[in-house]
Amino acid sequence: MVRQSRRCSRSGCAQPAAATLTYVYAESTAVVGPLATFSEPHSYDLCEFHAERLTVPRGWEVVRHEIDVEDSGPTGDDLLALADAVREAARPEPPRAPADDGSGTRRGHLRVLPDIT
């Protein structure tokens, strides 16, 4: 199986992607970080050249996270942390008694209130 690497999103650039650019419009911020695992519709893959030379409009901020081009993927600690998080998420919650204060009937997270009219 041949692994096809992603390319830089900039027009006319055929270099391999090394970073991911994401905009946080509400905060007028551009975030440049390590290449995302998957291509996302609202982010842009950039080569090293374009990631380092990114400019933003006046009043915007650029947040740059360290990009390690030699990154060989997840470490053993990363995989253990992921496995722990999956186990924690799969752990069933103990059943809770519905908290009814007498002003209505509880059904899950909703409360049915008596008709006042």
Side-chain angles (χ1 to χ4, degrees), residues 6 9 20-23 36 38-45:
R6 298 190 327 240
S9 297
T20 297
L21 166 64
T22 307
Y23 292 107
F38 299 101
S39 180
E40 297 289 333
H42 299 291
S43 63
Y44 303 90
D45 295 335

Side-chain angles (χ1 to χ4, degrees), residues 12 27 32 36 46 58 62 64 67 73 78-79 83 85 94 98 102-103 106:
E27 298 177 14
V32 179
L46 299 175
R58 187 177 309 164
V62 177
R64 296 181 190 274
I67 301 168
D78 294 336
L79 296 176
S103 63
R106 287 199 55 97

Side-chain angles (χ1 to χ4, degrees), residues 25-103:
Y25 293 100
E27 298 177 14
S28 300
T29 303
V31 180
V32 179
L35 186 62
T37 306
F38 299 101
S39 180
E40 297 289 333
H42 299 291
S43 63
Y44 303 90
D45 295 335
L46 299 175
C47 64
E48 280 185 82
F49 178 83
H50 288 117
E52 291 173 1
R53 289 160 183 80
L54 175 76
T55 60
V56 295
R58 187 177 309 164
W60 280 57
E61 180 182 359
V62 177
V63 176
R64 296 181 190 274
H65 294 279
E66 184 177 332
I67 301 168
D68 185 7
V69 179
E70 302 299 320
D71 187 12
S72 61
T75 65
D77 289 341
D78 294 336
L79 296 176
L80 286 174
L82 179 60
D84 289 342
V86 169
R87 276 194 289 274
E88 182 68 28
R91 186 174 300 155
E93 289 188 29
R96 292 185 268 165
D100 190 5
D101 59 358
S103 63

